[in-house]
Amino acid sequence: MSDLFSLKGRKALVTGANTGIGQAIAVSLAGQGAHVICAGRRTCADTVAMIVKNGGTGESLILDFADPMAAKEVFKGQGISILVNNAGIIRREDSVNYSEEDWDAVMDVNQKALFFTCQAFGKELMAVGGTGSIINIASLLSFQGGIRVPAYTASKHAVAGITKILANEWAAAGITVNAIAPGYISTNNTEALRNDPVRNDAILARIPAGRWGDAEDIGGTAAYLASKAAKYVTGAVLNVDGGWLAR
Ligand code: NAP
């Protein structure tokens, strides 16, 4: 029973691991014993330093989804059995004025890159007969509409759908595919909202837990989903939102 949550001997790749939720997930997976490849469009040296300081191992990898197919060759022969698709962007504008450029930029990173990174990972695991876990970062906006974020909302609904179809197709191959749907978490992504007193208060009033989430709140959930404790969990989109959706 004691190693139910251990990730010792596993190798993980986390996208967008230089900051925020991705950084917390990388540190959490390494804390359970995984070697973590911290991928980012810029160096993840800070994250690797945090991992090493905690007694773990990791490395930094440049992976920029300016090309949504960037991860195509990344998994070959690497023995990676945990993939966390965390990289994501948000562009805010009223739907009536939303530009094609913003739409394409958000969709490319949040949806297209996520799917094709899953595909590259799954293809490699199937080629070597391995098993593994995919954890996609969805959002409250996988369930709700939000405001002024039409591409983000559409992309996060897609993340939930991609998670479910891949869970169906790959369960028999021993690959679990789940998503975490964070509520409002204090990171760069939500800085504009926290700096707007009206939006900040309106959001806080709707969170039963009475506080914004921390990136660490998501890190532990990802470690659980990657572990043996979750080996029969697949196709789930797990809310980590302080009770927002329950209200
Ligand atoms: P964040 O601090 O802005 O992190 C986003 C990460 O994605 C950063 O590492 C960023 O790199 C990376 N990224 C963006 N574009 C990229 C690209 N083209 N190629 C590679 N990496 C790229 O915000 P966060 O809140 O931690 O977001 C992490 C995930 O959680 C996202 O998928 C987001 O949608 C999701 N989420 C967040 C919240 C929340 O309340 N914060 C709620 C629900 C879901 P740079 O640092 O270089 O930009």
Side-chain angles (χ1 to χ4, degrees):
M1 283 298 279
S2 61
D3 69 347
L4 203 53
F5 296 93
S6 170
L7 301 177
K8 282 199 182 81
R10 307 271 305 274
K11 215 170 175 184
L13 186 144
V14 180
T15 68
N18 57 302
T19 186
I21 291 171
Q23 183 173 65
I25 290 174
V27 169
S28 175
L29 298 182
Q32 295 306 312
H35 176 84
V36 183
I37 301 169
C38 303
R41 60 179 162 176
R42 46 188 147 153
T43 177
C44 294
D46 288 352
T47 306
V48 174
M50 289 166 77
I51 287 172
V52 170
K53 194 173 166 211
N54 290 345
T57 67
E59 61 194 279
S60 178
L61 174 76
I62 297 295
L63 191 58
D64 188 344
F65 292 123
D67 171 9
M69 307 300 285
K72 200 167 177 213
E73 307 295 332
V74 157
F75 300 99
K76 288 201 175 129
Q78 294 302 311
I80 298 166
S81 69
I82 301 167
L83 165 65
V84 181
N85 280 305
N86 164 79
I89 59 172
I90 192 161
R91 300 242 178 121
R92 295 185 172 87
E93 179 56 89
D94 293 340
S95 290
V96 75
N97 292 323
Y98 212 79
S99 69
E100 183 180 1
E101 188 204 337
D102 282 349
W103 181 272
D104 289 344
V106 171
M107 287 298 185
D108 272 0
V109 177
N110 294 12
Q111 176 184 320
K112 185 173 178 181
L114 178 138
F115 174 77
F116 284 103
T117 302
C118 287
Q119 185 191 65
F121 175 79
K123 204 172 258 186
E124 171 66 9
L125 272 186
M126 288 175 207
V128 300
T131 60
S133 334
I134 296 176
I135 297 141
N136 294 323
I137 304 304
S139 169
L140 262 185
L141 298 191
S142 298
F143 305 101
Q144 303 188 331
I147 51 168
R148 306 189 74 245
V149 286
Y152 186 84
T153 299
S155 73
K156 293 298 185 178
H157 273 66
V159 171
I162 290 166
T163 298
K164 290 171 194 172
I165 185 175
L166 294 183
N168 288 339
E169 290 194 16
W170 294 353
I175 303 171
T176 61
V177 189
N178 293 292
I180 297 172
Y184 285 87
I185 312 295
S186 300
T187 65
N188 298 336
N189 174 298
T190 50
E191 195 176 0
L193 298 179
R194 280 177 286 116
N195 288 340
D196 175 340
V198 176
R199 291 297 309 277
N200 183 61
D201 290 354
I203 287 166
L204 260 185
R206 287 195 59 186
I207 304 175
R211 65 167 176 89
W212 284 70
D214 294 324
E216 290 72 23
D217 293 326
I218 311 299
T221 312
Y224 157 68
L225 287 173
S227 75
K228 268 188 268 175
K231 66 181 187 303
Y232 202 58
V233 179
T234 195
V237 183
L238 195 55
N239 310 323
V240 183
D241 60 9
W244 177 286
L245 278 181
R247 173 158 278 178

